[in-house]
Amino acid sequence: MPTPDTVTGARERELSEFIGGFVAEIQPLELKHNEAFWLANTTGEARYEEESARLDAAMRKMFARREPFAMLSRLCDAGALADPLLDRQLTLLHLAHRARQLPPEMIEQQVRLEKSLESRFNQFRATLDGERVSDNRIVDVLRDSDDLGLRRRAWEASKQVGAEVEADLLRLVRLRNDGARQLGFANYYSMSLELDELSERELFELFDELERETTPLWKAYKGALDAHLSRRLGIAADALRPWHYADPFFQEAPPADVSLDPFYANLDLVGLSERYFKAVGFDVRDVIARSDLFERPGKCQHAFCMSMDRGDDVRVLCNVRPTERWMGTMLHELGHAVYDRNLDRSLPWVLRGQAHILTTEASAMLFGRLSKNPVWLATWAGADARALERQAEAAARAVRQQLLVQSRWEMVMVHMERAVYRNPEQDLRTLWWDLVERFQWVSRPQGRRAPDWAAKIHFSVAPCYYHNYQLGEMLASQLQDHLLRRVLGGGTDAWPRYVRSPDVGAFLQREFYAPGRRWDWRELTQRATGRPLESRPFVDELAGRALA
């Protein structure tokens, strides 16, 4: 009769053999897909979009195979394996296969719709006063113009893409829901959370808690902002509408007290990013050399980071201009890149990735928020000491305001996306403005009946993702607090050391990046910061109670 050790050993050998063949098949497909995806976003050419879609479908079909899923399910049901790395790979592979147990024709249909929507967003240019304009141009108008008519036309132009994609987006939502129900889930949103090692109940309890805790701060901030906009634009506060705020979705805090753009206007943001990251322990020269960083016709107007090969080839796409917004974006995307570049290369291929989306977002946000930080501005942007001294308090407040504005916006997105998948047949156009008014306290345009919700790219190309931004901000605040207090020891000079100490990079590389997917995000957070993910460091930061 076989002993338990013999049985466990046989299970581990069976799994190891499967992983070897699986990785040998999927690794080259993933590399080719990533290259096609990169070219589709940097050139806008249909041939690369088609190739990306074909390879994406091929990889999804690998996970849809019935026999491997049955084998992985059997191994999971038999209990934990003795080898922790093999056991973790088993968990992740089982979850990934479970999510794809769909007919091939359904997979192909989903991919075609997703790639079509992605292409339309990438290629879309709004029409403003008869001229096709970039997203950057729309933002410029909303940030700087006092022409009320122009502001409204620019805001409405930013929503034009919603009408182009809404019908296909809803088709995709229904198709995703059909697939999720075939797999035994209520809807695609619930399935995505569960298979991504998140709890829907815990997630929305957390967002409810954040709503309660941030409401007093939001009341004070929003009241002051509306009073400022009322004076600046010469209209009553109760007449303010979405186009009076500084970006199309009010997800960025308008520079009510101070604009940080002058500090960056004459700087090389790419070179500055390279020098900063080197100082804190990360060499990003290879990343920058492989990246595509400036505006060009046909190119995706957004920003992202890609690990092409789970190795050295990490790239960033941006559309950099010499503004604070794009400085923050560069730091954010390179925050993703240093995570990818510093994974332990000895990890098995399946584990050579970020522990979770929220952990890579935490890394990106930890760095991205520095573009508004007075200490970072003085150290790296060469901000004039007297000018910075006059504006230091306002700049520090701007960091907190951005986090607060972003949090209230993310509440809209998270509640909207859950509602879309729970019932795509409801009046989503009205629901969108109900949620905007509830969380952002922005009054809806009277009489408007347009699919404004569908103009947000994430509903189409990054489904069930947005909650990770908020969780990432919370974890970024927890990491920042740990670095300042524990790694650097606190004190009055903690911040000056934080923005230029290689101890920051050494800690992140060793404790946060290198483990890859060895542990789930909860265990990684506990190990790296000594406590589970909490809202307190983030709320303290919003309220100005964090280590100054």
Side-chain angles (χ1 to χ4, degrees):
M1 190 170 179
T3 66
D5 287 345
T6 303
V7 172
T8 299
R11 291 168 59 219
E12 290 185 347
R13 285 191 298 274
E14 183 179 11
L15 179 61
S16 295
E17 289 175 6
F18 167 74
I19 291 174
F22 178 82
V23 171
E25 185 177 0
I26 200 169
Q27 187 173 9
L29 284 177
E30 182 180 90
L31 184 59
K32 290 177 182 176
H33 166 267
N34 290 346
E35 187 64 37
F37 180 87
W38 176 261
L39 290 170
N41 280 275
T42 54
T43 70
E45 293 185 22
R47 57 179 173 145
Y48 297 123
E49 177 195 328
E50 292 165 2
E51 179 68 357
S52 171
R54 183 186 69 80
L55 292 163
D56 189 355
M59 289 189 293
R60 294 191 196 193
K61 289 175 188 176
M62 282 188 63
F63 287 100
R65 294 169 182 167
R66 304 291 186 185
E67 294 79 5
F69 177 61
M71 180 269 293
L72 293 167
S73 298
R74 172 172 51 79
L75 293 179
C76 282
D77 291 344
L81 299 172
D83 182 334
L85 292 184
L86 269 177
D87 192 62
R88 183 63 180 150
Q89 290 177 84
L90 172 59
T91 297
L92 294 172
L93 287 168
H94 184 253
L95 290 171
H97 279 74
R98 187 180 178 194
R100 299 295 186 205
Q101 296 300 297
L102 300 171
E105 57 274 14
M106 178 175 280
I107 291 174
E108 290 175 359
Q109 194 175 356
Q110 287 184 5
V111 172
R112 281 196 301 271
L113 268 174
E114 289 167 6
K115 296 301 180 182
S116 172
L117 287 163
E118 182 180 329
S119 176
R120 274 182 274 176
F121 271 100
N122 288 347
Q123 296 292 318
F124 182 81
R125 298 295 185 272
T127 300
L128 175 60
D129 294 340
E131 178 187 359
R132 294 188 74 203
V133 297
S134 68
D135 287 353
N136 276 333
R137 170 62 179 149
I138 296 288
V139 171
D140 287 345
V141 170
L142 294 178
R143 284 174 61 93
D144 302 329
S145 178
D146 291 335
D147 182 330
L148 300 187
L150 177 61
R151 295 184 68 92
R152 179 168 187 164
R153 294 194 303 276
W155 180 85
E156 290 175 345
S158 76
K159 299 294 181 285
Q160 291 165 358
V161 68
E164 290 198 12
V165 303
E166 184 190 36
D168 278 349
L169 174 53
L170 287 172
R171 281 178 57 208
L172 181 57
V173 167
R174 296 181 189 107
L175 188 62
R176 287 169 173 163
N177 274 349
D178 287 346
R181 293 187 189 106
Q182 287 186 27
L183 301 178
F185 295 92
N187 57 65
Y188 181 82
Y189 190 83
S190 297
M191 180 190 80
S192 296
L193 290 181
E194 182 174 332
L195 299 185
D196 201 27
E197 301 184 299
L198 288 169
S199 161
E200 186 170 355
R201 178 185 58 79
E202 290 175 352
L203 178 66
F204 280 87
E205 285 177 354
L206 174 60
F207 271 86
D208 289 345
E209 178 183 324
L210 282 172
E211 182 186 6
R212 290 192 302 272
E213 292 191 358
T214 59
T215 290
L217 298 171
W218 188 243
K219 182 177 181 180
Y221 169 73
K222 185 64 165 46
L225 173 62
D226 286 356
H228 167 81
L229 292 175
S230 175
R231 292 191 300 271
R232 173 190 160 189
L233 300 173
I235 59 175
D238 61 6
L240 291 171
R241 292 298 182 267
W243 47 85
H244 297 126
Y245 297 90
D247 70 63
F249 291 100
F250 190 26
Q251 67 186 84
E252 301 281 341
D257 298 318
V258 59
S259 172
L260 300 180
D261 286 351
F263 291 118
Y264 295 105
N266 298 311
L267 297 181
D268 170 11
L269 304 195
V270 177
L272 174 54
S273 300
E274 180 184 316
R275 292 191 297 276
Y276 161 67
F277 275 98
K278 182 177 181 182
V280 295
F282 300 113
D283 187 345
V284 296
R285 287 176 297 176
D286 285 351
V287 173
I288 289 172
R290 291 184 171 97
S291 295
D292 191 320
L293 300 175
F294 299 98
E295 288 180 285
R296 192 174 60 256
K299 176 185 169 183
C300 173
Q301 298 185 84
H302 304 283
F304 61 82
C305 174
M306 281 194 77
S307 175
M308 307 296 288
D309 61 355
R310 307 199 187 196
D312 289 333
D313 191 352
V314 178
R315 308 176 190 180
V316 164
L317 182 145
C318 276
N319 289 276
V320 173
R321 289 185 174 187
T323 65
E324 183 278 323
R325 172 177 173 244
W326 279 107
M327 183 76 261
T329 301
M330 273 295 295
L331 294 170
H332 179 104
E333 299 305 338
L334 288 171
H336 285 301
V338 295
Y339 195 150
D340 290 334
R341 284 294 300 270
N342 287 278
L343 296 164
D344 182 353
R345 302 297 174 78
S346 69
L347 284 170
W349 188 86
V350 173
L351 302 183
R352 213 178 306 144
Q354 307 100 353
H356 194 277
I357 295 168
L358 74 89
T359 62
T360 187
E361 289 300 344
S363 176
M365 291 159 177
L366 185 71
F367 292 106
R369 60 177 60 170
L370 292 174
S371 62
K372 292 184 175 73
N373 184 282
V375 180
W376 195 90
L377 275 160
T379 305
W380 291 104
D384 177 77
R386 291 183 179 179
L388 191 58
E389 185 177 356
R390 291 193 299 270
Q391 301 185 36
E393 182 179 345
R397 188 163 58 247
V399 177
R400 300 194 298 270
Q401 290 173 347
Q402 173 56 32
L403 291 174
L404 179 60
V405 168
Q406 189 173 300
S407 292
R408 302 296 294 202
W409 156 247
E410 284 163 356
M411 293 173 195
V412 175
M413 284 294 293
V414 169
H415 282 269
M416 183 68 187
E417 188 162 36
R418 179 171 67 164
V420 167
Y421 282 100
R422 281 185 165 182
N423 180 14
E425 313 311 323
Q426 65 184 301
D427 183 357
L428 296 172
R429 298 180 181 188
T430 297
L431 176 62
W432 173 254
W433 287 108
D434 291 344
L435 293 172
V436 168
E437 289 183 335
R438 171 184 167 184
F439 294 114
Q440 293 181 291
W441 301 4
V442 174
S443 298
R444 72 189 72 200
Q446 188 173 3
R448 184 172 174 84
R449 287 287 302 165
D452 297 327
W453 71 277
K456 189 59 180 172
I457 187 174
H458 293 73
F459 288 121
S460 291
V461 306
C464 306
Y465 188 106
Y466 223 85
H467 52 270
N468 290 299
Y469 293 130
Q470 182 60 62
L471 298 177
E473 287 288 10
M474 290 172 54
L475 183 50
S477 292
Q478 191 159 314
L479 285 167
Q480 178 180 286
D481 183 72
H482 184 80
L483 283 161
L484 287 165
R485 296 179 187 276
R486 304 299 178 192
V487 176
L488 299 177
T492 56
D493 65 340
W495 268 106
R497 287 182 288 127
Y498 177 81
V499 300
R500 65 181 315 124
S501 172
D503 291 343
V504 170
F507 168 82
L508 290 170
Q509 192 280 330
R510 182 182 65 252
E511 303 295 338
F512 197 66
Y513 301 156
R517 306 187 77 185
R518 178 188 297 266
W519 307 304
D520 67 23
W521 67 269
R522 293 178 180 84
E523 185 170 354
L524 177 67
T525 300
Q526 180 72 48
R527 285 172 176 266
T529 69
R531 51 182 164 162
L533 181 62
E534 300 173 352
S535 62
R536 181 51 47 199
F538 179 72
V539 175
D540 284 348
E541 190 158 7
L542 292 182
R545 296 190 296 263
L547 183 64

